[in-house]
Amino acid sequence: MEKLKILEFPDKRLRKVSEDIVVFDQDLKYLSASMLVTMYEEKGIGLAAPQVNKPIRLIVMDISEDRNQPMVFVNPIVDSYEGTAESNEGCLSVPDIKIDVERYETITLNAQDLEGNTISVYADGLLSICIQHEIDHLDGKLFIDYISDIKLQRLRKKISKQNKAAKIEQQKNTRLI
Ligand code: ZN
């Protein structure tokens, strides 16, 4: 297993629609294990394959407090949903930004496991929200797409400033070496 590099907004690869998975082999198991390692190291509760530059329909998550209940879903689809819930979200691909997003309150998820077996999960609370956030990644959608244009403009400015600052910091570091 290896820690993978996470793509960051505004990387265009985050906007691709990911492909269905049809082969359930060792590579898929290795990738999902590596994604879990990456997610734990980055202190996230969920990660989608396109975030690590693999445009396939695979998501991993762990919403437990003890970080010992990993979940992996292949080809996940929200089959039915009910109610709405406001959630304050962040994303490993959009660092340091937190916004309120409206999600479905409860969902029924249809998916497959790493062997290709069909699974169905009823989810509420954080699990429901996390699944919806990760499936959005598979469709090239980011949580910041849910906010108004004006707010988004401000957010873009903030992110571009951060990126510039990071670049300058990098250059400084380069000179030091
Ligand atoms: Zn995310």
Side-chain angles (χ1 to χ4, degrees), residues 4-171:
L4 306 164
K5 191 180 163 348
I6 296 179
L7 301 180
E8 289 186 5
F9 177 83
D11 196 309
K12 287 209 164 50
R13 288 170 289 184
L14 290 168
R15 296 305 193 173
K16 270 195 210 161
V17 176
S18 293
E19 301 277 334
D20 282 336
I21 290 167
V22 289
V23 180
F24 296 82
D25 58 5
Q26 286 303 316
D27 286 352
L28 187 66
K29 292 191 177 103
Y30 185 83
L31 173 62
S32 62
S34 295
M35 281 171 60
L36 280 166
V37 166
T38 307
M39 180 193 80
Y40 286 128
E41 280 208 24
E42 298 293 338
K43 301 188 169 41
I45 60 167
L47 191 66
Q51 289 181 276
V52 292
N53 199 21
K54 305 279 181 205
I56 56 171
R57 301 189 85 84
L58 169 68
I59 61 176
V60 302
M61 59 192 72
D62 186 341
I63 57 158
S64 70
E65 264 183 30
D66 295 337
R67 317 287 283 153
N68 57 4
Q69 289 170 44
M71 288 183 270
V72 178
F73 298 116
V74 179
N75 299 325
I77 292 170
V78 174
D79 187 50
S80 62
Y81 50 81
E82 223 169 89
T84 54
E86 186 104 326
S87 77
N88 189 256
E89 299 181 17
C91 177
L92 292 175
S93 291
V94 192
D96 303 325
I97 304 291
K98 283 219 158 100
I99 55 165
D100 290 325
V101 180
E102 196 177 287
R103 299 282 187 194
Y104 301 127
E105 191 178 10
T106 63
I107 59 167
T108 307
L109 175 79
N110 287 344
Q112 285 167 283
D113 64 15
L114 285 169
E115 310 294 337
N117 304 308
T118 305
I119 42 177
S120 182
V121 179
Y122 173 81
D124 61 5
L126 188 55
L127 181 59
S128 167
I129 283 157
C130 188
I131 290 169
Q132 291 173 68
H133 178 115
E134 299 314 329
I135 290 179
D136 274 353
H137 276 300
L138 304 182
D139 293 325
K141 212 166 166 187
L142 297 172
F143 73 137
I144 49 175
D145 299 344
Y146 288 95
I147 59 175
S148 70
D149 284 349
I150 299 164
K151 272 192 190 163
L152 188 62
Q153 271 174 16
R154 265 187 245 141
L155 205 62
R156 274 181 196 276
K157 264 186 205 153
K158 192 179 162 194
I159 291 169
S160 107
K161 254 189 213 162
Q162 275 174 359
N163 287 351
K164 266 182 209 151
K167 239 183 206 165
I168 290 166
E169 195 57 38
Q170 247 176 17
Q171 283 168 355

